């Protein structure tokens, strides 16, 4: 039986988002990335830019336990907690709608109890990721390297805080692909075959 859902977690600059979009088009299934942000904005009334920053990234990358010290309401929840709860609901709803690819946002953990998912982690060699970020965002080599480091650290802290799991750890995914070593087309081939197997 074909798998219905593909979740893709990725290192910044590894091309995981591009890979997810490519595979979704090949398979003819729904693709959720920015659409999740738009849906959260619709349900919460918050700005998309705010959601994009707070929904997947920790508020600080310097002190992991500081995530638990951000401003909280009387019931102990923070704006990040609220966004995570809405995000979780939207991801669960997307999975129920039908076959899809979901990018990031701890979807692999949110959907961990489903047997019809393939959870993917995409990584890449630092030199290739730096070159990709330089090209996409017009950054210097030093700026690209810092952006990769900061983004991945924030994602890692956010993931650990909400899932109590280690971001990027192989056992938390069905498969890990190095897009630099394998190449995007071959990675897409592997995922397509795995999905259809």
């Amino acid at each position: 039986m074909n798998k219905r859902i593909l979740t893709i977690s990725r290192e910044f600059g590894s091309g995981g988002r591009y890979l997810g979009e490519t595979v979704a088009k090949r398979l003819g299934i729904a693709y959720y990335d920015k659409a999740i942000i738009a849906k959260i904005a619709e349900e919460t009334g918050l700005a998309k830019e705010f959601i994009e920053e707070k929904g997947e990234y920790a508020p600080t990358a310097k002190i992991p336990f500081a995530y638990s010290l951000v401003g909280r309401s009387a019931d102990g929840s923070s704006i990040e907690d609220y966004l995570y709860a809405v995000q979780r609901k939207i991801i669960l709803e997307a999975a129920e709608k039908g076959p899809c690819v979901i990018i990031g946002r701890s979807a692999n953990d949110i959907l961990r109890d489903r047997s019809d998912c393939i959870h993917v982690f995409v990584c890449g060699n630092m030199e290739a990721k730096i070159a990709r970020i330089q090209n996409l965002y017009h950054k210097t080599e030093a700026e690209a390297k810092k952006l990769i480091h900061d983004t991945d650290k924030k994602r890692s802290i956010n993931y650990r805080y909400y899932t109590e799991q280690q971001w990027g750890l192989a056992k938390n995914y069905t498969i890990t692909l190095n897009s630099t070593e394998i190449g995007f087309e071959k990675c897409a081939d592997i995922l397509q075959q795995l999905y259809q197997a």
Side-chain angles (χ1 to χ4, degrees), residues 55-72:
E56 193 172 24
Y57 305 132
T60 175
K62 294 179 181 174
I63 308 171
F65 67 81
Y67 208 19
S68 63
L69 304 177
V70 295
R72 298 195 173 269

Side-chain angles (χ1 to χ4, degrees), residues 77-128:
S77 63
S78 68
I79 187 68
E80 286 84 4
D81 296 338
Y82 172 58
L83 286 178
Y84 183 82
V86 175
Q87 175 178 283
R88 184 177 188 281
K89 173 180 165 285
I90 290 167
I91 287 171
L92 289 168
E93 287 172 354
E96 283 302 312
K97 283 181 183 175
C100 61
V101 174
I102 303 174
I103 302 296
R105 304 191 172 273
S106 305
N108 71 300
D109 188 75
I110 291 168
L111 301 175
R112 69 183 177 276
D113 294 330
R114 292 183 67 116
S115 62
D116 59 350
C117 297
I118 297 171
H119 303 297
V120 183
F121 189 84
V122 182
C123 62
N125 298 351
M126 183 56 81
E127 298 77 16

Side-chain angles (χ1 to χ4, degrees), residues 3-180:
K3 294 293 183 180
R4 295 181 64 242
I5 301 153
L6 201 62
T7 70
I8 299 183
S9 303
R10 74 282 183 222
E11 291 178 346
F12 191 64
S14 67
R17 176 177 283 139
Y18 169 78
L19 182 58
E21 195 169 7
T22 300
V23 173
K25 284 179 182 174
R26 283 192 187 186
L27 295 169
I29 61 177
Y31 173 77
Y32 296 103
D33 182 14
K34 300 295 185 187
I36 293 174
I37 295 170
K39 184 69 174 168
I40 294 170
E42 180 186 316
E43 292 201 14
T44 63
L46 296 168
K48 290 180 185 178
E49 296 78 15
F50 180 82
I51 294 163
E52 189 163 14
E53 178 63 24
K54 298 293 185 182
E56 193 172 24
Y57 305 132
T60 175
K62 294 179 181 174
I63 308 171
F65 67 81
Y67 208 19
S68 63
L69 304 177
V70 295
R72 298 195 173 269
S73 66
D75 69 356
S77 63
S78 68
I79 187 68
E80 286 84 4
D81 296 338
Y82 172 58
L83 286 178
Y84 183 82
V86 175
Q87 175 178 283
R88 184 177 188 281
K89 173 180 165 285
I90 290 167
I91 287 171
L92 289 168
E93 287 172 354
E96 283 302 312
K97 283 181 183 175
C100 61
V101 174
I102 303 174
I103 302 296
R105 304 191 172 273
S106 305
N108 71 300
D109 188 75
I110 291 168
L111 301 175
R112 69 183 177 276
D113 294 330
R114 292 183 67 116
S115 62
D116 59 350
C117 297
I118 297 171
H119 303 297
V120 183
F121 189 84
V122 182
C123 62
N125 298 351
M126 183 56 81
E127 298 77 16
K129 292 189 295 183
I130 289 171
R132 183 174 171 81
I133 295 307
Q134 282 184 272
N135 183 52
L136 287 174
Y137 299 101
H138 310 291
K139 301 288 186 184
T140 66
E141 182 178 341
E143 288 171 337
K145 188 172 184 179
K146 184 177 188 313
L147 188 56
I148 290 166
H149 176 268
D150 291 350
T151 302
D152 284 351
K153 191 163 189 180
K154 287 177 182 179
R155 284 177 177 167
S156 176
I157 292 168
N158 178 286
Y159 186 84
R160 181 180 288 276
Y161 183 77
Y162 285 108
T163 70
E164 299 182 352
Q165 299 293 323
Q166 184 179 334
W167 182 73
L169 186 66
K171 72 175 186 176
N172 293 327
Y173 306 90
T174 309
I175 187 170
T176 298
L177 299 172
N178 185 317
S179 61
T180 306

